[in-house]
Amino acid sequence: MMSSWLKNWFQSQKQTRKFHPFWIVLVVMATLAVGGVVWVATYLFKVEEAPAVPAVVSSATPGQDGAQSDNLPAIAKPSPLSVEQGGVFSPPDPEDIPSGEFGDVIRLGKNIFTDTQTYASAYVGNGLNCVNCHLDAGRKPDSAPLWASFGMFPAYRDKNKQVNSYEDRLAGCFRFSMNGKAPPLGGKEMIALTSYSYWLAKGAPIGVALKGRGYPELKQPALAPDEVRGKGVFEANCAICHGADGQGTLVKGRYVFPPLWGSQSFNAGAGMSKINNAAGFIQANMPLGQGGSLNLQDAWDVAKFMTSHERPADPRLAKK
Amino acid sequence: MFHRKSTRFEPRQRYADTVRLLVLTALTVFANGWVSHASADKLAGGVLAQKGGAGITACLACHGANGEGQAAAGFPRLAGQHQAYLVKQLQAFANGKRKNAQMEPIASALSAQQINDVADYYAGLPGWKPTANPVASSPQTALGFKLATSGNWSKGMPACFACHGASGEGIAPHFPSLSGQISSYTRAQLKAWQAGTRDNDPQGLMKSVAIKMSDEEIAAVSLYLENPALNGKVK
């Protein structure tokens, strides 16, 4: 369409004898000039943003009670390089995972992530799947999406006082959130999960904390979080799916709604067992399909209620 | 049990066995009778469904001889639906929480016992099974498959199957079965939630999904759910 229009224009210009080949030179020069300005601007902007990167990592404060947390910054400035519509990075659609050998490994990674119980059962010690806390197959902003994490490693973590690779980070969720054991570094599961994350992060910048990373940091509530009020919030909003006893809903041996506490849930070393992570996750994502509907106080109260229940012990404490 | 030394008591032993057998048979017969007595409400429900009752049109006139629904008229399938869900909807038609000109008078005429009976009957009928010739794969059903299994999170919409069971069979008691449902009925319900004319869902859970859907998505997912056997076949 465009090209035929151009041809017509070209023709008419020729006919009216207004056209001179010098126009072409002029257009090319103009394009180069505009492009140059844009390029210089991006470069300047990037340099300005660079110091923020180490700050992201070093802003972490020592994790309380040894709980798993990256203490992510509230919401980082979206990078000019990653910004899509609305300022949130949009990862590719899993439907478009390529065919071929690499595609197969990416797909295995997605399967492990969404159905950990089947595809990595040897490394799981509870009834959960990765996707339970990282919604939309690890794609949803504000539920610790994989695309926002991949480019942030290696990174120093207070949790184990050393620089962690991305695989180390995955291992953390296996050990604590899944109450299991980490698959071997460089093994099939790790490679598959890393490949899937890499694929989701296509086009995302390295070392820039993207908007939507981690769970949102909520403001402190007006009243100190309270278990009793939290119980009321739970019964009114959560019990229909997670069960009045918080043990989830089991159908044919699989959890259709995951358990929030008890032997089949995440352990006491997991990030979700920290009230601030739990409140952030819940406010942004629960009840399912109604993210953002709970008010600040209710979110903290119900998080308090959830995190004060019994769950498997922190494996680090058991070893000592 | 049979010691060698007790061989000479064998006839007596056999006699005892026969008595035991008789007692067992009697018990079984009795138990059977008792059980079928307990499920008599299902039978009564069946009679109501097939023949109707005082001031009650037979359900089969609209919902089909086996509760399979009527595609042309958009009358829903009831066979295999969860008992508790059917009871809830009949009560809702009766007390005005769910509006429908055809169902309101019928549900209002039913006693609490009859509601239980007829719900029991329909819940006990065989549920939907994939047909041998599933609807041909089309871009529309591919979109429906995607919505049912993955949702559309760019709009904050979870997968239908996250709440309605891994293959749409529902999660009793609150989340009804959707698979095999007449597509025009499913479409009408989604539109009713959008318009606010259906609002009896717990915690507004279904409404928050329906209001996020485009017309195209509603059409595609309704068509898909009518025969979700396509699972593996659609890319």
Side-chain angles (χ1 to χ4, degrees):
Chain A
M1 203 176 89
M2 200 66 180
S3 66
S4 70
W5 179 84
L6 261 178
K7 225 190 263 165
N8 284 343
W9 179 82
F10 202 80
Q11 215 71 27
S12 72
Q13 293 295 305
K14 246 183 171 169
Q15 274 160 15
T16 54
R17 289 167 186 265
K18 270 186 199 151
F19 182 75
H20 191 281
F22 187 70
W23 278 110
I24 297 179
V25 180
L26 211 79
V27 167
V28 169
M29 296 279 282
T31 314
L32 280 178
V34 172
V37 169
V38 170
W39 184 77
V40 168
T42 1
Y43 183 73
L44 284 178
F45 204 27
K46 207 162 84 185
V47 168
E48 197 190 302
E49 190 112 298
V53 175
V56 165
V57 179
S58 62
S59 74
T61 50
Q64 299 150 20
D65 50 80
Q68 169 189 21
S69 168
D70 289 331
N71 292 297
L72 303 170
I75 281 177
K77 236 191 284 170
S79 154
L81 297 177
S82 69
V83 171
E84 315 257 313
Q85 313 91 313
V88 180
F89 176 79
S90 76
D93 190 323
E95 267 185 9
D96 300 329
I97 295 177
S99 51
E101 268 132 25
F102 187 41
D104 290 345
V105 174
I106 296 172
R107 215 165 288 117
L108 174 64
K110 186 194 173 221
N111 288 340
I112 293 174
F113 200 80
T114 53
D115 188 0
T116 327
Q117 296 290 328
T118 303
Y119 291 90
S121 57
Y123 306 103
V124 177
N126 60 19
L128 302 186
N129 294 300
C130 307
V131 69
N132 293 159
C133 303
H134 303 281
L135 304 196
D136 190 18
R139 299 171 80 249
K140 190 185 168 298
D142 294 334
S143 80
L146 297 179
W147 48 262
S149 177
F150 184 76
M152 296 305 285
F153 287 88
Y156 178 82
R157 291 188 76 208
D158 273 309
K159 185 153 185 160
N160 52 15
K161 306 258 180 273
Q162 62 191 38
V163 173
N164 287 223
S165 68
Y166 187 70
E167 289 195 4
D168 292 333
R169 185 63 193 85
L170 297 173
C173 266
F174 272 104
R175 232 179 129 202
F176 303 104
S177 303
M178 308 296 289
N179 192 36
K181 59 174 197 270
L185 299 182
K188 184 179 82 169
E189 291 80 9
M190 284 298 191
I191 303 239
L193 284 168
T194 307
S195 301
Y196 177 52
S197 307
Y198 161 86
W199 185 80
L200 284 178
K202 184 176 174 176
I206 297 288
V208 177
L210 293 173
K211 187 175 171 183
R213 187 187 177 199
Y215 302 129
E217 291 271 345
L218 297 189
K219 291 203 191 79
Q220 289 300 312
L223 308 169
D226 179 75
E227 234 177 285
V228 178
R229 277 197 311 267
K231 185 170 191 278
V233 178
F234 180 82
E235 281 161 2
N237 299 285
C238 325
I240 185 175
C241 296
H242 294 290
D245 56 1
Q247 299 308 291
T249 302
L250 201 60
V251 173
K252 292 189 206 127
R254 299 179 64 90
Y255 284 101
V256 287
F257 300 126
L260 303 187
W261 60 82
S263 65
Q264 293 307 303
S265 192
F266 51 90
N267 69 37
M272 193 62 88
S273 70
K274 274 187 71 182
I275 183 170
N276 61 329
N277 277 331
F281 170 83
I282 292 167
Q283 210 283 329
N285 300 294
M286 290 290 140
L288 191 72
Q290 299 179 323
S293 66
L294 290 184
N295 68 39
L296 194 67
Q297 188 69 53
D298 285 353
W300 281 98
D301 288 345
V302 78
K304 171 84 181 169
F305 175 69
M306 177 178 92
T307 53
S308 47
H309 280 89
E310 288 261 306
R311 57 182 69 262
D314 184 336
R316 291 166 302 180
L317 300 182
K319 280 209 180 105
K320 273 174 203 161
Chain B
M1 210 163 46
F2 291 92
H3 295 273
R4 270 187 186 278
K5 277 181 190 156
S6 65
T7 330
R8 60 195 163 114
F9 293 116
E10 225 179 288
R12 223 200 207 169
Q13 193 80 37
R14 227 181 259 158
Y15 174 73
D17 277 353
T18 316
V19 170
R20 264 186 225 129
L21 202 79
L22 275 173
V23 171
L24 210 76
T25 315
L27 268 175
T28 315
V29 170
F30 177 76
N32 265 340
W34 198 76
V35 166
S36 55
H37 173 79
S39 63
D41 48 353
K42 200 182 220 164
L43 291 183
V47 172
L48 196 63
Q50 307 288 336
K51 303 210 166 76
I56 303 164
T57 322
C59 317
L60 67 67
C62 295
H63 292 286
N66 301 301
E68 73 281 10
Q70 260 191 62
F75 297 145
R77 167 188 193 90
L78 302 179
Q81 186 57 276
H82 309 154
Q83 206 260 4
Y85 174 80
L86 292 172
V87 169
K88 179 191 160 177
Q89 299 307 320
L90 287 169
Q91 288 169 345
F93 286 126
N95 65 26
K97 287 199 179 127
R98 183 171 169 186
K99 305 264 180 250
N100 179 264
Q102 280 145 310
M103 275 311 295
E104 276 173 51
I106 295 171
S108 307
L110 295 171
S111 70
Q113 179 65 45
Q114 284 173 315
I115 285 183
N116 263 320
D117 293 353
V118 77
D120 233 34
Y121 168 72
Y122 279 116
L125 291 183
W128 172 85
K129 292 270 171 342
T131 56
N133 297 311
V135 187
S137 162
S138 69
Q140 206 182 29
T141 49
L143 173 61
F145 170 69
K146 193 174 175 188
L147 293 169
T149 54
S150 310
N152 181 354
W153 280 101
S154 66
K155 293 197 260 183
M157 200 184 109
C160 311
F161 290 175
C163 287
H164 289 284
S167 51
E169 74 282 20
I171 301 171
H174 298 289
F175 303 92
S177 158
L178 301 179
S179 39
Q181 187 55 278
I182 307 285
S183 64
S184 55
Y185 171 76
T186 301
R187 203 159 51 231
Q189 297 308 304
L190 293 171
K191 298 252 179 187
W193 263 298
Q194 289 191 332
T197 47
R198 181 166 177 186
D199 62 357
N200 66 327
D201 48 331
Q203 298 171 215
L205 285 169
M206 189 53 221
K207 179 180 177 156
S208 29
V209 173
I211 55 171
K212 295 181 181 115
M213 299 182 79
S214 68
D215 286 356
E216 191 200 2
E217 287 175 330
I218 288 182
V221 83
S222 304
L223 201 65
Y224 170 73
L225 289 168
E226 189 162 89
N227 197 343
L230 293 169
N231 272 2
K233 293 193 184 160
V234 182
K235 194 193 91 152

